[in-house]
């Protein structure tokens, strides 16, 4: 009997898990997935000259979503998939490959392929035993069909390759914690790195989980939770769960608990998937022992980020192995490579790394910290010598430990650039040295950073550094180091208007110097006291201290220091209207500074001579001298003195009726004063701008030539 065979319909698998209920935000990432996964093949041709034998129309559209555990990779993939179900009318396949599982090994490709074949309706008797044959059958079944395949939580490219369809009608989404480099290289995968949520998205997630009314009732607490969680989706979800399960507890208390206990609050004893530390620990399983050690040491290394040279010092590894370890951590989404060769961790990942460091031997941790401290100290010391080679060097730091080499800095510009990018790390290094009682490192870092701090007007940072150095100096045997620490602390206190603390420290410094017959320390402290009394409004007392400093420097026969003191005496004489004395001393200072090629001192002397010229009616000469001083200060990056000289420059311009030039100088000075936190100076310049055109008197806000 003739008849027609009934064509069996192909099964249409619908394996996607439900749309995540609390999914919020990620608009930019969803848009990037749209762009990566919906481009027509003919719009993405191979480059001309490509040696590949596969035409562009056969390219499989794949996007790998990478990121550390708990960043919401699966949620993003599922959200995108559910938003575009209409594009995959022939079905959706989903498999959790268990690449990072708390209890199980990664799923074998054979198991995953077999599951797909079952979903596609293949009778078990028809499934071949060989993996290659199974993969070929799978590709045959999905060929020409509009299907989505989601390969979640992948561990390796080898695990994924047998699951890739050969048809351009299929779309594949891969999630995993590693970048799967060969998948990108061999199969044209578009890679999407998933970062943390931004503030708006994080607030929206908390509001969705807690209820809009509860979140709106405590906006400050919500903001603190967002800040403490750093936008990390799993951390936010755990915090929200802690709050939701305790509805009577104010959110401020939930935030306070997280602030106080940190990762402990984000842990869970019985449910590994609900514990951020446990989820992060799964990423370490595929690392080598050496890579896990590097990860742990990065957790305790001082500073918000790091560089390859610092990591070489920290770990003691050869450069090639250190670089390989960093690449492995970056590949595992535990470390982020940023521009200019810098590496950083999310705060919560770093906190977890710090906990893993406790499992390392204590001597290994301390040795690593000593090495990286020496690296930063000696590089900073070299930078400081480039910035101010004329500065008196009381004592050089002890040599670095064996195998540690400072980062090479060819010139002053490179030194400034390095200090700027490493500044936060250097401050953190000093704090770490305090914790380890490495008192000489604490002292030397304060001294080494001082020139940079003063030129950049980072006075609060200088204050903290010198307070730590004074405490450290009490443990040092060198009385000159103790005297210097009190002197420099007094100087920065004076600049910040902390006059009582300034005077107390400067008097302590001069007492120590006298007790130990340290003429150099006495001279330097008299110079600092001169500037301190000027700021307190007593120019006559300031002049007395400047003369004491000058006499001592002449006794010591040190012409560069003598030049500084000459300028100070001239400056205070000018403020007291003793202009003949002032001119004689400042000219002598300028000649000595030029002879010894001391640009900071030369600029300070020019500034003083500009003040004298203005107050003796030679306004054109004053403008000329101020401009020359400005050129030098700018070339040195000394923004503190640039602000003062701009302030001074406006006065002769105003006296000459050049109001536009005066306004330009004062507006720039005002902006610098505001940036530097110098409120009194900013208020004075604001009044000068408001009263431009009126008769004005120059007022010097700080001592000239205060360099030692």
């Amino acid at each position: 009997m003739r008849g027609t065979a009934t064509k069996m319909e192909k099964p249409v698998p619908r394996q996607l898990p439900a749309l995540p209920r609390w999914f919020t935000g990620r608009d930019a990432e969803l848009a990037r997935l749209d762009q990566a996964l919906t481009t027509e093949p003919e719009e993405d041709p191979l480059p001309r000259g490509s040696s590949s034998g596969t035409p562009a129309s056969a390219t499989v559209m794949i996007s790998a979503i990478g990121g550390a555990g708990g960043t919401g990779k699966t949620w993003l993939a599922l959200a995108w998939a559910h938003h575009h179900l209409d594009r995959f009318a022939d079905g959706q396949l989903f498999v959790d490959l268990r690449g990072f599982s708390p209890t199980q090994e990664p799923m074998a490709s054979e198991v995953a392929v077999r599951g797909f074949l079952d979903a596609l309706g293949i009778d078990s008797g028809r499934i071949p035993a060989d993996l290659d044959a199974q993969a070929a059958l799978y590709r045959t079944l999905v060929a020409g069909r509009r299907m989505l395949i989601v390969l979640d939580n992948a561990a390796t490219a080898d695990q994924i390759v047998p699951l890739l369809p050969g048809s351009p009608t299929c779309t594949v989404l891969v999630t995993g914690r590693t970048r799967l480099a060969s998948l990108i290289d061999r199969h044209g995968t578009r890679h999407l790195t998933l970062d943390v949520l931004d503030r708006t998205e994080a607030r929206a997630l908390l509001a969705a989980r807690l209820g809009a009314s509860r979140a709106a009732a405590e906006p400050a607490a919500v903001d603190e939770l967002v800040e403490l969680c750093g936008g990390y989706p799993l951390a936010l979800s755990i915090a929200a769960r802690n709050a939701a399960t305790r509805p009577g507890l104010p959110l401020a208390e939930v935030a306070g608990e997280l602030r106080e206990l940190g990762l402990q609050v984000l842990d869970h004893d019985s449910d590994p998937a609900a514990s951020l530390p446990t989820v992060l620990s799964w990423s370490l399983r595929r690392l080598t022992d050496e890579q896990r050690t590097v990860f742990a040491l990065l957790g305790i290394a001082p500073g918000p980020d790091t560089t390859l040279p610092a990591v070489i010092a920290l770990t003691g590894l050869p450069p090639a192995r250190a670089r390989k370890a960093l690449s492995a951590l970056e590949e595992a989404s535990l470390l982020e490579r940023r521009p200019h060769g810098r590496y950083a961790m999310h705060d919560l990942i770093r906190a977890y790394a710090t906990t893993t460091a406790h499992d390392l031997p204590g001597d290994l941790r301390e040795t690593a910290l000593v090495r990286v401290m020496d690296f930063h100290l000696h590089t900073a010391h070299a930078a400081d010598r480039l910035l101010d080679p004329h500065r008196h060097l009381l004592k050089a730091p002890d040599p670095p430990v064996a195998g540690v080499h400072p980062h090479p800095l060819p010139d002053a510009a490179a030194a400034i650039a390095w200090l700027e990018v490493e500044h936060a790390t250097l401050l953190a290094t000093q704090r770490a040295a305090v914790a380890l009682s490495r008192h000489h490192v604490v002292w030397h870092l304060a001294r080494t950073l001082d020139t940079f701090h003063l030129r950049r007007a980072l006075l609060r940072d200088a204050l903290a550094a010198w307070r730590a150095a004074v405490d450290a100096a009490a443990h040092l045997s060198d009385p000159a180091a103790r005297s210097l620490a009190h002197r420099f602390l007094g100087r920065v206190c004076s600049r910040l208007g902390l006059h009582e603390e300034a005077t107390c420290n400067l008097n302590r410094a001069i007492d120590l110097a006298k007790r130990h017959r340290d003429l150099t320390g006495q001279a330097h402290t008299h110079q600092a006291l001169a500037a301190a009394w000027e700021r307190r409004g007593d120019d006559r007392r300031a002049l007395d201290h400047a003369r004491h400093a000058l006499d001592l420097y002449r006794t010591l026969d040190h012409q560069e220091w003598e030049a500084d003191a000459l300028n100070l005496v001239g400056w205070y004489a000018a403020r007291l209207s003793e202009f003949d004395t002032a001119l004689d001393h400042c000219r002598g200072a300028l000649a000595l500074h030029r002879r010894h090629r001391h640009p900071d001192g030369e600029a300070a002397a020019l500034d003083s001579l500009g003040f004298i010229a203005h107050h003796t009616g030679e306004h054109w000469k004053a403008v000329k001298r101020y401009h020359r001083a400005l050129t030098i200060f700018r070339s040195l990056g000394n923004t503190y003195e640039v602000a003062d000289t701009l302030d001074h420059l406006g006065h002769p311009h105003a006296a000459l009726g050049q109001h536009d030039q005066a306004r330009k100088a004062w507006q720039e000075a005002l902006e610098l004063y505001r940036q530097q936190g110098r409120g009194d100076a900013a208020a004075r310049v604001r009044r000068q701008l408001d009263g431009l055109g009126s008769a004005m008197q120059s007022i010097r806000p700080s001592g000239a030539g205060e360099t030692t």
Side-chain angles (χ1 to χ4, degrees):
M1 175 178 172
R2 294 178 177 268
T4 58
T6 303
K7 185 178 180 180
M8 295 185 61
E9 293 186 2
K10 296 180 181 179
V12 179
R14 307 289 188 190
Q15 293 190 328
L16 287 182
L19 176 67
R21 180 180 178 187
W22 307 116
F23 181 83
T24 56
R26 299 295 195 192
D27 292 339
E29 289 83 357
L30 289 169
R32 288 176 62 191
L33 282 175
D34 281 343
Q35 183 179 13
L37 297 176
T38 61
T39 303
E40 291 298 324
E42 57 269 17
E43 295 176 356
D44 188 24
L46 289 173
R48 287 191 179 184
S50 171
S51 59
S52 173
T54 305
S57 60
T59 301
V60 179
M61 301 299 168
I62 307 170
S63 181
I65 304 172
T71 52
K73 300 178 294 296
T74 301
W75 279 25
L76 177 64
L78 291 177
W80 186 89
H82 278 280
H83 290 162
H84 297 289
L85 285 178
D86 59 315
R87 299 182 180 180
F88 308 109
D90 295 324
Q92 308 94 39
L93 296 171
F94 178 94
V95 62
D96 179 359
L97 295 171
R98 302 197 300 263
F100 300 87
S101 170
T103 58
Q104 297 172 292
E105 291 297 314
M107 180 183 292
S109 299
E110 295 91 329
V111 177
V113 171
R114 176 63 184 264
F116 282 174
L117 291 175
D118 289 341
L120 292 167
I122 301 302
D123 184 85
S124 59
R126 293 181 54 205
I127 298 177
D130 178 68
L131 174 60
D132 289 339
Q134 291 175 359
L137 176 58
Y138 158 67
R139 288 193 294 271
T140 299
L141 293 171
V142 299
R145 300 177 69 176
R146 297 172 59 206
M147 297 190 70
L148 173 67
I149 297 96
V150 180
L151 308 176
D152 189 41
N153 200 11
T156 66
D158 290 341
Q159 189 185 26
I160 292 172
V161 169
L163 307 177
L164 298 180
S167 172
T169 60
C170 296
T171 294
V172 181
L173 269 178
V174 183
T175 77
R177 300 189 187 188
T178 57
R179 295 189 176 181
L180 305 175
S182 64
L183 201 65
I184 297 172
D185 297 342
R186 292 162 49 196
H187 297 276
T189 302
R190 284 102 162 145
H191 184 266
L192 172 62
T193 299
L194 200 58
D195 204 348
V196 297
L197 298 171
D198 64 30
R199 288 179 176 273
T200 301
E201 293 172 331
R203 290 190 192 98
L205 175 59
L206 287 176
R209 295 289 300 268
L210 300 173
S213 59
R214 188 177 181 190
E218 295 188 71
V222 170
D223 286 343
E224 186 174 9
L225 285 171
V226 169
E227 183 71 24
L228 291 169
C229 292
Y232 208 103
L234 179 57
L236 288 163
S237 295
I238 294 171
R241 181 242 299 158
N242 289 337
T245 55
R246 295 180 286 180
L249 197 66
L251 294 181
E253 289 191 33
V254 177
E257 186 180 48
L258 181 56
R259 180 178 60 254
E260 181 179 351
L261 300 177
L263 278 182
Q264 295 179 44
V265 177
L266 303 177
D267 202 353
H268 198 284
D269 293 333
S270 59
D271 187 350
S275 165
L276 180 61
T278 303
V279 169
L280 292 175
S281 74
W282 302 338
S283 293
L284 301 184
R285 293 181 180 179
R286 305 188 69 84
L287 300 178
T288 66
D289 289 343
E290 183 171 277
Q291 291 160 0
R292 284 193 289 269
T293 298
V294 173
F295 174 71
L297 292 178
L298 288 173
I300 62 173
D305 55 12
T306 192
T307 61
L308 176 61
V311 172
I312 292 169
L314 175 74
T315 62
L317 292 173
R321 281 167 58 189
R323 187 186 299 275
K324 184 176 181 180
L326 291 173
S327 296
L329 295 176
E330 184 185 6
E331 179 75 10
S333 299
L334 295 170
L335 189 67
E336 180 186 358
R337 172 74 180 271
R338 292 180 177 173
H340 311 298
R342 306 197 71 80
Y343 295 86
M345 290 177 171
H346 186 279
D347 287 347
L348 292 176
I349 294 179
R350 178 161 186 170
Y352 173 66
T354 303
T355 65
T356 68
H358 297 323
D359 298 328
L360 299 176
D363 59 339
L364 189 155
R365 294 196 305 270
E366 183 166 341
T367 297
L369 284 173
V370 167
R371 291 173 61 89
V372 78
M373 284 178 193
D374 281 3
F375 168 80
H376 289 307
L377 170 59
H378 282 270
T379 307
H381 176 71
D384 184 59
R385 299 310 295 165
L386 286 166
L387 291 189
D388 190 1
H390 299 276
R391 179 174 62 79
H392 172 57
L393 187 62
L394 180 66
K395 181 182 177 183
D398 294 338
V401 295
V404 172
H405 305 285
H407 186 65
L409 299 170
D411 52 33
I416 290 176
W418 187 86
L419 288 167
E420 284 178 339
V421 298
E422 297 293 350
H423 182 238
T425 295
L426 293 168
L427 297 179
T429 298
Q430 192 195 41
R431 294 192 293 270
V434 170
L436 282 183
S437 298
R438 297 194 78 209
H439 306 300
H440 68 286
V441 173
V442 176
W443 187 94
H444 277 293
L445 276 171
R447 185 69 180 98
T448 293
L449 288 171
D450 194 69
T451 300
F452 178 73
H453 279 158
L454 295 189
R455 288 187 181 181
R456 286 292 191 264
L458 300 169
L459 300 183
R460 290 292 171 185
D461 293 326
L463 180 67
W466 280 115
R467 282 176 173 169
V470 163
D471 292 339
H475 299 275
L476 302 177
S477 59
D478 186 356
R482 295 197 295 275
S483 176
L484 184 145
H486 282 288
R487 180 169 79 248
F488 277 64
L489 177 56
R491 184 176 66 168
V492 73
C493 286
S494 173
R495 290 196 176 200
L496 285 166
L498 305 172
H499 298 304
E500 294 303 323
E501 186 177 353
T503 302
C504 179
N505 277 282
L506 291 172
N507 288 337
R508 175 66 175 152
I510 208 161
D511 287 345
L512 284 168
K514 287 178 178 178
R515 184 186 310 168
H516 296 281
R517 296 181 175 85
D518 177 7
L519 295 183
T520 299
Q522 292 177 50
H524 291 338
T525 308
H526 276 299
Q527 187 167 332
L529 279 163
W533 282 110
E534 176 197 348
R535 293 188 181 96
R536 300 187 75 164
D538 192 335
D539 290 334
R540 180 59 64 185
R541 199 163 180 176
L543 179 58
D544 290 342
H545 281 292
R547 291 189 185 279
H548 276 301
L550 179 58
D551 291 342
L552 287 167
Y553 287 141
R554 283 173 169 164
T555 300
L556 292 165
D557 193 24
H558 197 298
Q559 289 194 341
E560 292 176 48
W561 295 343
E562 179 184 341
D564 288 333
L566 279 169
N567 188 47
L568 273 187
V569 170
W571 168 248
Y572 295 122
R575 287 176 63 87
L576 293 165
S577 299
E578 299 171 8
F579 293 115
D580 290 340
T581 299
L583 191 60
D584 180 58
H585 282 74
C586 291
R587 282 175 173 171
L590 181 62
L592 281 177
H593 280 310
R594 285 176 171 169
R595 182 187 308 167
H596 293 281
R597 298 182 180 180
H598 188 194
D600 255 320
E602 179 183 350
L606 285 167
D607 183 273
S608 297
L609 288 166
F611 181 91
I612 295 166
H614 169 54
H615 281 269
T616 54
E618 297 182 282
H619 305 305
W620 282 109
K621 185 179 289 187
V623 168
K624 183 178 179 181
R625 286 171 173 171
Y626 282 143
H627 274 295
R628 286 163 64 190
L630 270 177
T631 299
I632 297 172
F633 281 138
R634 290 189 196 276
S635 72
L636 295 170
N638 194 338
T639 56
Y640 187 95
E641 295 295 347
V642 166
D644 287 343
T645 302
L646 284 166
D647 181 5
H648 307 158
L649 173 62
H651 293 287
H653 275 310
L656 291 166
Q658 298 171 339
H659 291 179
D660 288 343
Q661 291 93 322
R663 183 176 293 105
K664 181 180 178 182
W666 282 338
Q667 284 175 338
E668 186 179 353
L670 177 63
E671 181 61 28
L672 286 172
Y673 282 146
R674 286 172 172 169
Q675 291 174 8
Q676 296 167 8
R678 298 166 68 181
D680 290 345
R684 186 187 64 252
V685 172
R686 181 70 267 171
R687 291 192 297 271
Q688 290 166 186
L689 282 165
D690 291 341
L692 193 59
S694 304
M696 295 173 288
Q697 292 182 336
S698 293
I699 301 177
R700 172 80 168 186
S702 64
E706 185 191 353
T707 60
T708 57

